[in-house]
Amino acid sequence: MSAPMFMKGNEAMAEAAIRADCRFYFGYPITPQNEVPAYMSRRMPEAGGTFLQAESELAAINMVFGAAVAGARAMTSSSSPGISLKQEGISYMAACELPGVIANIMRGGPGLGNISPSQSDYFQATRGGGHGDYRLIVLAPHTVTELAELTMDAFDLADYYRNPVMILGDGLLGQMMEKVEFPEPEARRRTGLLRGRPLPPKDWALTGAQGRPPRLIRSLLMQPGVLEQHNFHLAEKYARIERDEPLAEVIGCEDADVVLAGFGTSARVAKQAREMLRARGIKAGLFRPITLWPFPYAQLAAIARTTRRFLVVEMNLGQMIEDVQLAVARERSLKDATIALLPRPGGGVPVPEEIVDKTLEVLR
Amino acid sequence: MSAPMFMKGNEAMAEAAIRADCRFYFGYPITPQNEVPAYMSRRMPEAGGTFLQAESELAAINMVFGAAVAGARAMTSSSSPGISLKQEGISYMAACELPGVIANIMRGGPGLGNISPSQSDYFQATRGGGHGDYRLIVLAPHTVTELAELTMDAFDLADYYRNPVMILGDGLLGQMMEKVEFPEPEARRRTGLLRGRPLPPKDWALTGAQGRPPRLIRSLLMQPGVLEQHNFHLAEKYARIERDEPLAEVIGCEDADVVLAGFGTSARVAKQAREMLRARGIKAGLFRPITLWPFPYAQLAAIARTTRRFLVVEMNLGQMIEDVQLAVARERSLKDATIALLPRPGGGVPVPEEIVDKTLEVLR
Amino acid sequence: MSRQLFARTPGLKDTVTTYCSGCGHGVAHRLLAEAIEESGARERTVAVAPVGCAVYGYDYWNFDTTEAAHGRTPAVAAAIKRVLPDRLVISYQGDGDLASIGLAEIMHAANRGDRITVIFINNTNYGMTGGQMAPTTLAGQVTTTTPLGRDSATTGQPLKVAELLATLPGVKYAARGALHKPGLVRKAKSLIQKALAVQEAGLGFSVVELVSLCPTNWGLTTLQSVELVEKQIVPVFPLGVFKDESGAKAE
Amino acid sequence: MSRQLFARTPGLKDTVTTYCSGCGHGVAHRLLAEAIEESGARERTVAVAPVGCAVYGYDYWNFDTTEAAHGRTPAVAAAIKRVLPDRLVISYQGDGDLASIGLAEIMHAANRGDRITVIFINNTNYGMTGGQMAPTTLAGQVTTTTPLGRDSATTGQPLKVAELLATLPGVKYAARGALHKPGLVRKAKSLIQKALAVQEAGLGFSVVELVSLCPTNWGLTTLQSVELVEKQIVPVFPLGVFKDESGAKAE
Amino acid sequence: MFRVKVDPRRCKSCELCLAVCPKKIMVITHERNEHGFHVAACRDERECTGCLACALVCPDVAIEIFEDKD
Amino acid sequence: MFRVKVDPRRCKSCELCLAVCPKKIMVITHERNEHGFHVAACRDERECTGCLACALVCPDVAIEIFEDKD
Amino acid sequence: MLEQIIIAGSGGQGIQFCGQLLARAAVRQGLEATYVPSYGAERRGGPSFCSVVAADRSIYASLFKHPDIFLALDQRARNQYASSLLNAGIMLVNTDLAGQPATGEQARVIGLSASRLAEKINFEQPPLNLVMLGAYLGLDRGVSIEAVRAELEARFAGKPDVKQRNLQALDLGWEEGRSQSR
Amino acid sequence: MLEQIIIAGSGGQGIQFCGQLLARAAVRQGLEATYVPSYGAERRGGPSFCSVVAADRSIYASLFKHPDIFLALDQRARNQYASSLLNAGIMLVNTDLAGQPATGEQARVIGLSASRLAEKINFEQPPLNLVMLGAYLGLDRGVSIEAVRAELEARFAGKPDVKQRNLQALDLGWEEGRSQSR
Ligand SMILES: Cc1ncc(C[n+]2csc(CCOP(=O)(O)OP(=O)(O)O)c2C)c(N)n1
Ligand SMILES: Cc1ncc(C[n+]2csc(CCOP(=O)(O)OP(=O)(O)O)c2C)c(N)n1
Ligand code: SF4
Ligand code: SF4
Ligand code: SF4
Ligand code: SF4
Ligand code: SF4
Ligand code: SF4
Ligand SMILES: [Mg+2]
Ligand SMILES: [Mg+2]
């Protein structure tokens, strides 16, 4: 582990990508992630890589597609409206089983919205904003250090599963400066989400058919039944990911009367609220999914065995709450549970006090 | 009601749009919906309207945005990859509260996929493939006549709620010819989804500030808290829609040992399977949501009070099944229910026999 | 007795802009508003504001204005015009909006000969997002995404929009003006007036490119910015009328 | 003793194409494959097939090929080239792909001077989707979306891609050929060879537009199609070399 | 005689009017407006020729010019 | 003497070779291939000049040309 | 009555027209009917097929696994769809172009020399599709030849030649079908 | 210790630099710290502010409703944020530019003539931000002036003038703060 640095989340993510051997970055400006292209434009050439400002988000994601086709580790980043424009390209990447990393530093929506932090693209990220039955692995860091770590993991998981991986952050995480510790990449490959599994060779990449038959990357499968087979193949892969990758941080849920659930920034704030509640003698727990897809249903269901009150804190109108409901329903009817929501859409960021207040209300 | 005609679904939809006073159509070719622009290019000029082939799906949805801004009834149609490209524009329309109709005649995905019928954009349609907290009203016809009827309703609901409405069909519905009866538009406004409610005047449309202060249509709301307020305003509207608009066709669920659930084409096939099952003495019911958003949770939950076995039939890897789970969970824990899936992704269309077989399996 | 020689046009609202000191959008806004007001079309005007600093145009113009998704401004404008063919429809765009993400939309609107008028603000960078490279950025120009200056070998040469659009038959008027000297400001207004007239005559597409100041992102004072425009930008983006078919009859 | 005067190039696989009878894609595929094979670059080639009838290119070309999303073909190709600068990278595109939905991507790749070679098949319509209007459709031409013929007043004039791209400094070679006569086929091959050479020399972007036959959607026999090309299409899309800076040094 | 009226709410102290005035009579004053800008003014209207240069270039349309006739 | 070999699998009966052959010796035969196309052939190779015109225009690369030397 | 029909052959043989005609006639006759084309990337000479269902009640499934009847216009079509018929099914084959049994066939085969019959009517544009349709109608399985005739009359009101040719083909086929079904 | 600080003024006053410096110093000193800018559409002369949290334990909430300390560099800033302070809070105001009480103020106010002090150091580029920061450090609430000094040393190693000016401002402010906090 290198000495801690004090950096913006956006810059830490960019730096982590480079440390994880990403050598191709394609992006288009949009607040609040402009520090990513700015940083990449400085650092990539130093690292022997390529920074290219694409003409649009559409071009950027398709450049990531191209770089992945050629076997490179490539990345793009944007914020909500720009991510909407990438949906077709993301679907193509998933269909062609191309690795790649897409960061969404979310801002207030819908439409042009504003540039404040938001979490309102949860559905889009986890349910396929693009067309077709595909899934992204979605990672949701809540500190700058975790952002750096998960960025490194993102490239590894993308290569491991030949699937695009999304980093779902928000404007606060991207803009905030705090201490960041970059793990040593080799070590992280062992201790991070890859868990030391060896990466498969990219024996599918297009590099010129030298001494081998030509290769072909495509998603068009017109022969009857072939696309359905391909979908079942993808489904099998997704099932493996759902089995092996769900990850959550769980704090103090064993004896909890109420569990706060949230991801990223809202979970971070909820952590403080939980401590404040405990300080008041209220048995509050915290459930923070780190992988939003695959969502850690089983882990949350286990908690629902002993807890029936949940407060979901989201910087949106309530999206992850559906996954919380689906998880809790594995154990108990929703009639037999209280799953409350503290929604802060359109750029609002909750403060611990309001989470505490809302929790007290739930417990009443 | 005019005399029945024998038409392709795509053409019936286009004709219904014109009968519903849609005078602006913007689209880009893509199979299996090419009959829509082809038909519109012939009929629109006859009807005194405008057909414009847009340079892309992106341009098309933003032209619908523009036409809506100017107060016109406007429509676009496409199929899965093209709909992915419209996501940003759809989010803008929802944010600006602009009415408009978008038809997705789904095909096999992800990526380029194929041109066979599919239902794999359910998540995208119902969960906002675009960024931000917005919702589309999503209508899912299962016959050509219903496609025509719901198309008419779509324009009315769009104007009534100032919200974009999506018609979610599939290649089979679009390509199939069958008898279609076009309701008389005035009558349909009374008997259809609008239920005779008066349409509000378009006192927000931009027509030139003659004799009034200038108007302004925008989604950028930068002042602190204003976008959050706007989101809560949208949420309030969505809550009204969720209260007033859910619609499902329910057949023989009172005594059902098993309920088949599906939408559009798969529900249509399931109808036949249900009859075959009943003929065998098996008490099978059918639940077919017509509005996919708002999903008729309450109606399905009511069924789950007396039924604990469900077979969800989808032409995808399982998407609507989550809404079925959420609905059933209102009544019973998922441990205490069997919610099976018959998935046909990538262009497969189920036949009644396989639904029957799968149902028998579920009942075993 | 007192006579007002220069007054604020009723084409503008009273609002104070939030643009930076010295920003060219202010002058461009005024010229557009004056031209529209003076032609008597204000109450028949529908404008489309871009995603970019000028998104706030709707706070300043005293006519109906809508926002458009980034770069899709001409598609929105074209549709409005087709719904309301007797209105004056304006697509106001920056160089990121028009020349980068929205290049397909502008080219197609131009090629279709959509009867709209485009006011194109070339400030050689992305103002609103803090000064990144635009297609119009000069070779060697430092921006936040070209820290060593724009490298033409990997990112190309500045895109000359007025000249490019002038090559399309649907375009009936294409010109480039500037805003940093009184004479040029007068001239720019006449270019805008001509462009609007082309639209009103139903001739086709018209566009006025305006070389504009962005002192903030150039990291210069306003006066240094004026010098940059004179010495470096205008030589690359020559001022002039590249196409004028305003004499033509409506098709 | 027997000598083979004309043989199938090893640049093509043995597969029989699914293209329609008389379709120009077949000749274009062969010329590209021959030019690559003969230059010895086959094992260094990575091609990008468009969404359009030629999406099946990967079934026929005997080199590495990827699909790309509709119109984004040049963006994919540009990225491949930046990852593998010593490979020969081809972007093969139709007129719907390149000139309509993908106009921004092609213009930007061209303007950046991306070192790729674009083979652009102009068949004046959208072949794969059943013959809709393309930006290249002739004025008055009947297609499934212009049932009364393309109306230039509302949909514009045919877009001349080779000429348009030739105006951009990043483009070092731009030419238009045709495929309906033996002499033109020979000529087309030499255009392709030149374009590939420009890429291999690292000079910049090169493009060859090929006027091609689509008898199916034109509703004509192949021979009638040839006549249409000669009498109506080539007059609008003149054949020739619009830019040749192959003499230039690599930047 | 001309009057050069600078709207203090609008002026952003950009100095463009100073640069273009042929008489060099536009100055930045010590007056600060609510946005913190020092407001421009004409230091000697008697010298003003009413050429409008200042008003034409002002990005904030802060300048109005009057001609007072007796 | 030249030989004009048409691959019957590939020929799609488009008649382009017929049109361009200066000797007009290419013909469509009654032979149908698996795709239902009547296959083209050279009706008299002795007249063939080996000009390659037919092969050059053939969209399906169905034609190969040989020169037989004795 | 519920009849599921597949018509298959090659592009250019009028498969889609034939299927539509049948379905329209069924509707004209008061039945319900659906017609589903094989849409999309069709090429001249490439495979072409369509699915028609005609019934005296609502039709839910417009696609099906096992047709009741399969009209095979050429060999490629026969090879592809023959095995989808169960042994209760009937395959109507154009013996001129689809004479060879395909693997997995188990249905009853009714053959007629349809190409020859069609070419007799018009050698340049043989109405093969209508001959086959006529033969199907001759089997008398629910849709009446009168309804198809009426459709043809309406459709080709302005083109007496075409109408005549098609009606003639229909009748010729019908005779064949009727004689064979007995 | 957990200290939540808002620094606010106008673009050009070095607000963001000041906040970052403070946060970096806290980290240098071994504390945890977060710094959140007001990012995005900032304009010269437009409002500018940042939020800093420094603590001797993990920081979960980098934004907060009620700061412990608010550094008001000008009146617009004072008007905007004064009421967010609870009465336990402290508002450090630049009396030269933010002398007027704002509505809803309830916190303790510590005033200093920071602009004047800064202009004394350098009239052209008055280090107002550092004077204010120095005053804050003088209140001795956890982050030490030494840590800030060290940061400045490191940051401006190559620019002795700027360093000197800033250090001087820091000290001047610190004196003010210390004297007033007693
Ligand atoms: C889809 C999308 N991408 C990116 C952005 C971020 N963005 C906002 S304005 C802008 C560019 C502004 O530059 P320009 O068009 O030149 O206008 P200027 O501000 O310079 O006048 C960008 C990239 C966005 N809002 N939406
Ligand atoms: C995003 C998207 N839009 C539309 C389509 C449908 N589509 C497939 S090919 C094509 C156009 C083909 O035309 P062209 O590029 O001219 O190629 P051609 O077939 O004529 O060679 C279209 C619109 C698609 N696959 N994806
Ligand atoms: S950033 Fe540039 S374009 Fe934007 S308001 Fe400031 S000066 Fe004007
Ligand atoms: S449709 Fe046209 S372009 Fe496509 S294969 Fe057929 S002839 Fe060729
Ligand atoms: S009107 Fe002319 S002379 Fe008078 S102040 Fe303005 S610029 Fe100077
Ligand atoms: S030009 Fe306008 S904004 Fe600039 S200093 Fe003069 S009056 Fe003020
Ligand atoms: S080679 Fe020439 S002469 Fe011989 S058959 Fe071909 S076209 Fe005719
Ligand atoms: S040109 Fe080729 S495909 Fe066409 S008829 Fe001749 S041999 Fe056959
Ligand atoms: Mg700009
Ligand atoms: Mg084409």
Side-chain angles (χ1 to χ4, degrees), chain D residues 20-22 222, chain F residues 4-7 10-20 26-28 37-41 53-63:
Chain D
C20 304
S21 168
T222 313
Chain F
V4 179
K5 208 179 123 198
V6 176
D7 183 340
R10 298 187 191 282
C11 176
K12 292 193 186 131
S13 214
C14 75
E15 303 188 13
L16 269 174
C17 54
L18 278 68
V20 301
M26 292 300 294
V27 294
I28 300 292
F37 290 112
H38 291 278
V39 175
C54 54
L56 282 167
V57 296
C58 176
D60 289 277
V61 206
I63 303 179

Side-chain angles (χ1 to χ4, degrees), chain A residues 13 57 61 64 74-91 93-94 98-107 118-130 134-141 146-147 149-159 161-170 173 193 241 263 289-294 319, chain B residues 128-131:
Chain A
M13 176 169 70
E57 291 86 352
I61 188 70
V64 170
M75 174 179 192
T76 187
S77 62
S78 187
S79 179
S80 310
I83 298 291
S84 290
L85 290 172
K86 294 183 195 284
Q87 293 304 322
E88 188 204 23
I90 291 174
S91 174
M93 288 188 69
L98 290 171
V101 174
I102 302 127
N104 181 0
I105 304 301
M106 293 178 281
R107 58 188 250 176
S118 173
Q119 300 184 319
S120 58
D121 306 341
Y122 178 92
F123 277 148
Q124 185 194 56
T126 61
R127 297 295 190 281
Y134 73 90
R135 295 288 191 167
L136 300 179
I137 298 175
V138 184
L139 308 177
E146 194 182 25
L147 173 54
E149 290 167 350
L150 292 180
T151 300
M152 291 174 142
D153 293 344
F155 286 94
D156 290 332
L157 289 180
D159 280 349
Y161 285 112
R162 288 188 59 182
N163 206 70
V165 176
M166 179 170 276
I167 297 164
L168 198 65
D170 62 70
L173 190 62
L193 270 53
I241 299 175
F263 68 96
I290 295 168
T291 56
L292 300 185
W293 192 87
Q319 299 190 13
Chain B
H131 59 287

Side-chain angles (χ1 to χ4, degrees), chain H residues 68-85:
Chain H
D68 302 307
I69 289 266
F70 164 36
L71 278 58
L73 273 70
D74 63 17
Q75 192 63 44
R76 178 174 56 193
R78 181 169 182 173
N79 295 347
Q80 186 160 4
Y81 298 101
S83 63
S84 67
L85 286 161

Side-chain angles (χ1 to χ4, degrees), chain G residues 92-175:
Chain G
L92 210 56
V93 309
N94 172 12
T95 49
D96 295 326
L97 292 177
Q100 303 305 316
T103 46
E105 275 185 26
Q106 45 181 331
R108 175 176 158 212
V109 175
I110 299 180
L112 69 161
S113 181
S115 289
R116 208 178 34 79
L117 287 171
E119 287 171 6
K120 255 200 246 164
I121 296 168
N122 188 316
F123 191 79
E124 298 300 303
Q125 295 167 290
L128 170 60
N129 52 351
L130 271 286
V131 173
M132 290 295 287
L133 182 61
Y136 165 72
L137 298 169
L139 304 182
D140 199 15
R141 296 180 56 93
V143 181
S144 76
I145 188 167
E146 286 72 29
V148 177
R149 271 208 202 97
E151 273 300 315
L152 281 171
E153 295 280 355
R155 176 69 190 266
F156 294 113
K159 297 183 180 170
D161 288 11
V162 186
K163 183 171 71 185
Q164 210 35 56
R165 183 207 304 158
N166 282 330
L167 286 171
Q168 203 183 333
L170 200 68
D171 289 340
L172 264 184
W174 188 77
E175 288 296 340

Side-chain angles (χ1 to χ4, degrees), chain A residues 202-268:
Chain A
K202 294 192 172 178
D203 53 10
W204 44 265
L206 304 192
T207 51
Q210 185 148 28
R212 58 161 174 76
R215 290 176 184 160
L216 150 58
I217 290 177
R218 64 162 171 187
S219 63
L220 180 73
L221 298 166
M222 289 285 272
Q223 288 74 19
V226 178
L227 183 61
E228 186 161 16
Q229 272 321 306
H230 181 58
N231 269 275
F232 283 129
H233 157 71
L234 292 177
E236 183 276 327
K237 176 167 88 176
Y238 299 151
R240 268 190 293 130
I241 299 175
E242 284 179 315
R243 185 194 65 201
D244 294 341
E245 305 301 339
L247 190 67
E249 182 183 16
V250 176
I251 306 177
C253 287
E254 311 75 24
D255 65 341
D257 286 331
V258 60
V259 166
L260 306 178
F263 68 96
T265 289
S266 51
R268 179 168 172 158

Side-chain angles (χ1 to χ4, degrees), chain F residues 2 4 17 20-26 42 47-55 63 65:
Chain F
F2 300 96
V4 179
C17 54
V20 301
C21 174
K23 296 290 171 186
K24 296 291 164 213
I25 49 180
M26 292 300 294
C42 179
E47 281 196 48
C48 174
T49 65
C51 73
L52 305 189
C54 54
I63 303 179
I65 313 230

